[in-house]
Amino acid sequence: MKIAVLGTGGGARAHIAKLAELGHEVHVGTRAPKATLARTEPDMMGTPPYQQFLAEHPGTGLHTFGDAAAEGDLVINGIDGHNAVAALSAIADQLAGKTLIDYAVPFVYNPDIEHPWPTPWGAMPVLDPCDSDSLGEQIQRALPRTKVVKAFVTQEQATVVDPKAIGGGDHTMFVAGEDADARQQATDLLTSYGWNDVLDLGGIVAARGMEMYAHMHSAIGFALGFGTHFGVKVVR
Amino acid sequence: MKIAVLGTGGGARAHIAKLAELGHEVHVGTRAPKATLARTEPDMMGTPPYQQFLAEHPGTGLHTFGDAAAEGDLVINGIDGHNAVAALSAIADQLAGKTLIDYAVPFVYNPDIEHPWPTPWGAMPVLDPCDSDSLGEQIQRALPRTKVVKAFVTQEQATVVDPKAIGGGDHTMFVAGEDADARQQATDLLTSYGWNDVLDLGGIVAARGMEMYAHMHSAIGFALGFGTHFGVKVVR
């Protein structure tokens, strides 16, 4: 299948590598391909330069967001939450009629907000939008011709493409979106990644809960200790 | 042990019944004991009148919030989120030096907020406070002499006091609060309820994530279908 991945961060790379391994034709999009390929140092998150990743994963060369999206029959959005709506709106024509899976958390670090208690893991981000809206809903409103599905966001990046690494794979992935066929497409992709328990939450409004779960995810990760990988299972 | 439960709603009754069954001396507090006992019809949530509950659970008579709190060595707050800070502040002296376990979600139904998509389960509430603060933190700030622990809130009310009813009890409860001894007290109570996996999330700031998880809880419950009980397990 022809799948476009927009973004070159850690989460995007996990999908790019896994999709290539599964034999898909992967089209990787980035804002400025030449600049990204010219980098020789790790980024601020410690992610190695893309040229190193490319050397290890042949066939994952970089294109612009628009060129990559135009080639994909299915599109995965790995553009960071703060920039996603603007960057995706600019390529609305290339995304028209397609399923777009989004996993971004709209975290912002706002130094003007006073937090009564510090978090043990440092600066406490807030979500924008939050509670009465979500990034998933914003993207769907910005792209009315695209079938937006929120997924992946409640699990660690490495776990999303390798669920069996945690507890034998017995944990739960969620999908939400307005279009049932698009939710099924996302579910099929997840099944190919190894997921056995994909829970369909229905409409895109459920993206609120999925994004707002980010604080729990941070707290659980910190409580278990850095480097302890975990998943979340809906037991019923 | 002498335990005070503030509130007579469904969640409070689950604790009252379980604590009485475990042999604790339970002191139940309500805003207006005589008025609550005079009721003969179910409330708006469909909860039967308290006089019926009392007939089935002898020794759980009603007192004022202050009188109940004064008797308890440990206090469970079941006052609804909207009224909790004011009601608890009014009895700060009776709560001084004690551990107070809070499980409220600060949901408000604000008809002025326009939601781009309706939720399948009807009116979409929002949380106030949310994201940069939480009800757990607000209560702790209002009661500096009390050791506030947030707990219970991520699970169904019946499951909190009967974890084995779901998946054999193999799921996770969270506790958060500034005082480690108070978190341990809450953990010990949960162990007596049958919980095997209580994850200590550290400081009260983690109450944000626990309260904000409420939207996920609603979405999961709706996806599974009304009446399907579930728990959430941190798999690691």
Side-chain angles (χ1 to χ4, degrees), chain A residues 46 60 63 69 97 206 212 215 218:
Chain A
T60 62
H63 310 277
M212 290 164 74
H215 285 309
S218 299

Side-chain angles (χ1 to χ4, degrees), chain A residues 208-234:
Chain A
R208 291 182 203 178
M210 294 164 79
E211 294 172 11
M212 290 164 74
Y213 170 77
H215 285 309
M216 270 303 277
H217 185 86
S218 299
I220 293 168
F222 193 85
L224 294 177
F226 184 75
T228 303
H229 298 292
F230 65 96
V232 171
K233 167 79 181 171
V234 176

Side-chain angles (χ1 to χ4, degrees), chain A residues 127-142:
Chain A
L127 296 160
D128 181 16
C130 181
D131 199 23
S132 60
D133 199 2
S134 64
L135 182 63
E137 290 165 274
Q138 285 189 337
I139 293 173
Q140 182 60 86
R141 290 201 300 279

Side-chain angles (χ1 to χ4, degrees), chain A residues 5 7-22 26 28 47 50 53 57 60 76 78 103 152 155-162 189 193:
Chain A
V5 179
T8 59
R13 289 188 199 184
H15 288 281
I16 295 165
K18 184 70 178 185
L19 292 168
E21 180 193 319
L22 290 172
V26 190
V28 184
T47 310
Y50 194 83
F53 178 84
H57 301 88
T60 62
I76 295 175
Y103 62 84
F152 311 158
Q155 296 276 5
E156 295 177 304
Q157 293 176 339
T159 307
V160 171
V161 299
D162 186 16
L189 179 70
Y193 284 173

Side-chain angles (χ1 to χ4, degrees), chain A residues 54-154:
Chain A
L54 177 57
E56 293 159 4
H57 301 88
T60 62
L62 296 180
H63 310 277
T64 61
F65 287 141
D67 286 349
E71 291 294 329
D73 294 319
L74 172 69
V75 184
I76 295 175
N77 175 41
I79 303 171
D80 64 285
H82 187 62
N83 295 306
V85 171
L88 295 170
S89 296
I91 57 168
D93 287 344
Q94 292 93 322
L95 293 168
K98 296 175 182 175
T99 295
L100 174 75
I101 307 176
D102 171 61
Y103 62 84
V105 179
F107 267 146
V108 290
Y109 291 89
N110 184 344
D112 294 334
I113 295 176
E114 282 190 36
H115 297 276
W117 277 273
T119 58
W121 54 89
M124 183 80 177
V126 295
L127 296 160
D128 181 16
C130 181
D131 199 23
S132 60
D133 199 2
S134 64
L135 182 63
E137 290 165 274
Q138 285 189 337
I139 293 173
Q140 182 60 86
R141 290 201 300 279
L143 302 171
R145 293 174 290 160
T146 299
K147 294 163 275 182
V148 177
V149 177
K150 194 89 195 186
F152 311 158
V153 63
T154 54

